[in-house]
Amino acid sequence: MTNCIEIKGLAKEYKTFTLGPIDLTVPSGSILGLIGENGAGKTTLIKSILGITNTSGGTVTLLGTDPDHAKEDVGVVMDDCFFSEYLRVKDVNSVLSRVYKGWDTGLFRDYLDKFGLAGTKNIKELSRGMRMKLSLAAALAHRPKLLLLDEATAGLDPVVRDEILDEFLAFVSDDDHAILISSHITSDLEKVADYIAYLHQGKLLMCDEKDRLLESYGRLVCAKADLDQVDKGYIVSTRKSQYSTEALIRHKNDFKRTYPRLTVEPVTLDELMVFVVKGEKA
Amino acid sequence: MTGLILKDLLILRKTLRSYLLFLVVYAGIAFSGVWSADIVGVLMVVVVMMLPMNVFAYDKQCQWDTYGLALPVGRTKTVAARYLCVLLLCLGGIALTAVTGAALYAVGRIEDPAEFMVSCAVMGLMAVLMNAIMLPFLYKFGPERARMMFYGVLGLLVLAGALFLFPLGGMEWLNSLSEPNLEQVTAIPFIAAVAGLILLALSFLLSRHFYGSKDV
């Protein structure tokens, strides 16, 4: 298995924020979900991968080459439609067919039909969902091998999101393809992602296979006295309120064997994020 | 690169139609004899100056730059495409002014076609000069701030012109200049074209420098 994205020591410094250094790989045939709170650096990371923003250090290899040479095979969807409201849907075809060598007008029209988008419509008449579908059609019509998606499903209703997630799954059914998708909608990532990378304050806190991540962490809900008895090596962070005590624990299966009396519930990506950001470190 | 030029022209489609309507109205006024035919050339300069500002503003509105840089085009070609688009707009404006001038000559509203040709060339050069000054500002500061700065630069240029003309006798000195001969009239459009291209090339290098280091 080769890697579609290889990032080594990528860093970007702003006056008040530093991203990285980040080491990350996305194997071909997989979807990597990038999670993190607002301002964690997800968009900066995606822009740095594409070479849109200047970086302070590190290297990025896309599809075995440098980002500038790989762009022909990379499709991008950001959190909003970047096509001017003064354009019509079919203008996107006229413009991008002259930009991408591999642009397939027929495929673009197929996507428009599939998504129920009329070519003659003005972009300003499209709803947010329709604009995102147009962005996705534009990202796919040049037959890319890699998709970089920044909050591409944000603000969409569950039906549209489901349709788009199906497209992502169909895309990675080809073993040469891969997707990096950042999203706050962690349920979407739980549905489609193979790997999860968690970015917090510019640093990569976790990066692992999604199933292994969800399998190895758990949420312990117990009395404070019980928590005090637990080996601190298991506890990642805790959240205490007047009525309950919760802890994010690692090595869930070991923990269950060691403390069979305590109940450990599966943890969601949302809970994982909340524990890491808002919980007290053990 | 042609895709990016086409994109600029397509987003200006409606604006171009409106300006074309203006041109027809102003040409109509010139036909009626109320205003001189030179008004068409002046309008062309103003329109060709406004259009790139509009493109930058529209691009900023939809954050095109972020997407544009993700395309397999590169920063140099992206800037080059914008300059070629501006050049096309200038040439289109000059052509329209010349066609209008020919029509006005045909109905007897222009007595000296050579003078109109010189005026057309000078107006074309003005249009190119304005854009050559403005585009680096747009790349460096974005449409809102660049607009204000550009007006400031224009004000300074007018002031410098006035300070230059004042000791020579102002408009009286200008009017006292002898009419150009046929050789000069023929040479002026060529000189204007070469000067315009040199100005645009220098401006392009500056814009490329600003855009190359810009963090989008």
Side-chain angles (χ1 to χ4, degrees), chain A residues 28-54:
Chain A
S28 52
S30 70
I31 298 179
L32 182 136
L34 186 61
I35 58 171
E37 66 280 5
N38 290 330
K42 301 187 294 297
T43 300
T44 304
L45 177 60
I46 289 177
K47 283 183 178 178
S48 302
I49 291 171
L50 281 164
I52 292 173
T53 194
N54 303 316

Side-chain angles (χ1 to χ4, degrees), chain A residues 164-265:
Chain A
I164 288 180
L165 292 179
D166 283 345
E167 284 301 324
F168 295 163
L169 289 172
F171 180 79
V172 287
S173 63
D174 187 324
D175 285 344
D176 288 337
H177 292 177
I179 298 177
L180 185 150
I181 174 172
S182 86
S183 181
H184 285 300
I185 308 169
T186 51
S187 59
D188 284 354
L189 300 181
E190 282 172 17
K191 219 179 276 182
V192 299
D194 301 294
Y195 298 89
I196 295 292
Y198 181 12
L199 206 55
H200 175 59
Q201 293 177 346
K203 303 280 180 286
L204 200 58
L205 284 190
M206 299 173 187
C207 184
D208 208 340
E209 283 178 32
K210 178 194 70 186
D211 293 339
R212 193 154 59 192
L213 201 67
L214 295 178
E215 188 58 34
S216 61
Y217 289 92
R219 187 166 65 95
L220 170 68
V221 184
C222 61
K224 188 178 175 303
D226 288 333
L227 188 65
D228 291 341
Q229 302 297 314
V230 170
D231 176 357
K232 296 290 178 279
Y234 284 112
I235 301 170
V236 179
S237 67
T238 58
R239 297 187 70 200
K240 292 168 190 164
S241 71
Q242 198 176 348
Y243 306 104
S244 69
T245 303
E246 293 179 329
L248 179 69
I249 56 150
R250 56 172 73 89
H251 310 307
K252 185 171 75 180
N253 294 332
D254 273 359
F255 181 89
K256 279 180 177 173
R257 279 191 291 274
T258 314
Y259 302 98
R261 198 174 56 81
L262 298 177
T263 309
V264 180
E265 293 173 359

